[in-house]
Amino acid sequence: MNFEVVLFKAVAALYSAATACAFVYLFSKEESWSKWLLRLLGVGLVVHLASFGFRLSSFWAIPENRYYLPINTFFGALSYMALAFAGVFFVVEREHRLGILGAFVLPWCAFCTVAALIWADPKIAGLVPALQSYWINIHPGVIMTSYAAFGNAFGVGLALLIQERQLKSRKPAELCYRLPSIEEADTLNYKIIVAAFPVLTVGIIMGGIWAYGAGGRFWGGDAKETWAFITALVYAGYLHMRFVKGLRGRKAVYVSMAGFACGVFTFVGDNFLSNL
């Protein structure tokens, strides 16, 4: 077993432990759990970067892979996705100090790393000629970073729905008083999406430019291209309803969650339909 996989297993353990702390903190008043959440997540990010660095060095040992990022396999993509999820949440948490939202976001980090260990082959593969382009260092990373941001928004939206349900109940649980207010969650959900949407749009445009350079066409109607566009349309619809219609709260969250579902399908489900 190479050292990269050993480090990656440690990453999976650290992200899982941070997720566990997040759930304990969700139902506890003890602030120390929130601090441990951030510590474990921070260490996990550092170890994850080290693991990715070892993968990069092994990847570059293959001549045709020189100077490209190792995200051409499902293992590499899941690793980067987990890194993006953790990184975006770390930035959001440092900015807003809402550790209780970790229970709604960090499970994605743990899931991606564990899924990579169970279902993906960590073996390093050489790049096929069509992928030997500097765009592989930009386009996939930009797209997946936007998906990670949308995943964070999904977690915030889920917290909003739970809070709304608690407030409507006759006997709200103590959790109601620890979750962010509906207005606060709605605003944060919007802020994340409005920041991530341009990233997704730029990523799709980059994909079109790459496709044109590789095959002489910007759009080929492939399932992955189509569903990436559908994802962008759903989030564009969310922003339109927010700006023009003034839509907020539960209905707006449902639209944003539909967008994230489209993003997940584009990332995973389309692999069974796409020729790309």
Side-chain angles (χ1 to χ4, degrees):
M1 183 184 298
N2 62 52
F3 194 52
E4 177 219 342
V5 177
V6 173
L7 287 176
F8 193 77
K9 287 186 174 182
V11 172
L14 286 164
Y15 286 168
S16 298
T19 302
C21 288
F23 276 103
V24 174
Y25 180 58
L26 181 65
F27 299 104
S28 167
K29 294 181 179 179
E30 184 56 57
E31 287 297 323
S32 62
W33 289 109
S34 177
K35 294 178 181 178
W36 274 107
L37 179 162
L38 274 180
R39 289 169 187 161
L40 289 168
L41 184 63
V43 174
L45 279 166
V46 172
V47 178
H48 201 160
L49 287 170
S51 173
F52 204 80
F54 276 103
R55 185 171 188 82
L56 186 65
S57 64
S58 299
F59 192 71
W60 282 0
I62 302 175
E64 61 266 31
N65 293 349
R66 191 64 57 85
Y67 308 124
Y68 300 125
L69 291 179
I71 52 179
N72 62 314
T73 65
F74 196 39
F75 184 92
L78 282 172
S79 175
Y80 182 86
M81 182 63 84
L83 184 62
F85 264 117
V88 171
F89 175 77
F90 196 80
V91 170
V92 172
E93 172 60 19
R94 296 282 292 185
E95 181 71 22
H96 295 277
R97 294 293 182 181
L98 295 171
I100 198 166
L101 293 177
F104 303 96
V105 176
L106 292 183
W108 290 110
C109 302
F111 175 78
C112 285
T113 52
V114 173
L117 290 171
I118 295 176
W119 293 312
D121 187 353
K123 183 179 178 181
I124 298 293
L127 285 172
V128 298
L131 295 181
Q132 292 175 22
S133 167
Y134 59 87
W135 284 113
I136 198 173
N137 291 340
I138 309 171
H139 165 67
V142 169
I143 288 284
M144 286 191 284
T145 299
S146 71
Y147 289 164
F150 290 136
N152 276 261
F154 177 90
V156 174
L158 184 59
L160 183 151
L161 294 178
I162 293 174
Q163 179 68 298
E164 184 184 64
R165 186 177 182 86
Q166 286 290 318
L167 291 173
K168 288 183 178 179
S169 67
R170 293 183 177 180
K171 294 182 179 181
E174 186 174 329
L175 177 62
C176 173
Y177 305 101
R178 305 192 63 245
L179 286 171
S181 68
I182 290 178
E183 182 179 355
E184 188 177 13
D186 183 70
T187 300
L188 181 55
N189 185 59
Y190 163 74
K191 284 183 177 179
I192 295 173
I193 292 174
V194 82
F197 180 73
V199 179
L200 174 64
T201 303
V202 169
I204 292 174
I205 293 172
M206 287 177 174
I209 296 172
W210 185 6
Y212 182 80
R217 84 318 182 247
F218 285 101
W219 182 267
D222 184 85
K224 190 166 284 288
E225 294 172 320
T226 300
W227 277 94
F229 183 65
I230 291 173
T231 301
L233 283 180
V234 174
Y235 280 112
Y238 165 86
L239 293 174
H240 170 76
M241 287 186 288
R242 176 88 183 200
F243 281 126
V244 178
K245 305 291 185 180
L247 189 67
R248 296 173 180 270
R250 174 168 47 88
K251 292 182 179 179
V253 165
Y254 285 153
V255 177
S256 69
M257 285 182 164
F260 182 61
C262 290
V264 171
F265 183 75
T266 304
F267 180 65
V268 180
D270 261 3
N271 292 327
F272 301 101
L273 304 174
S274 173
N275 293 321
L276 299 177

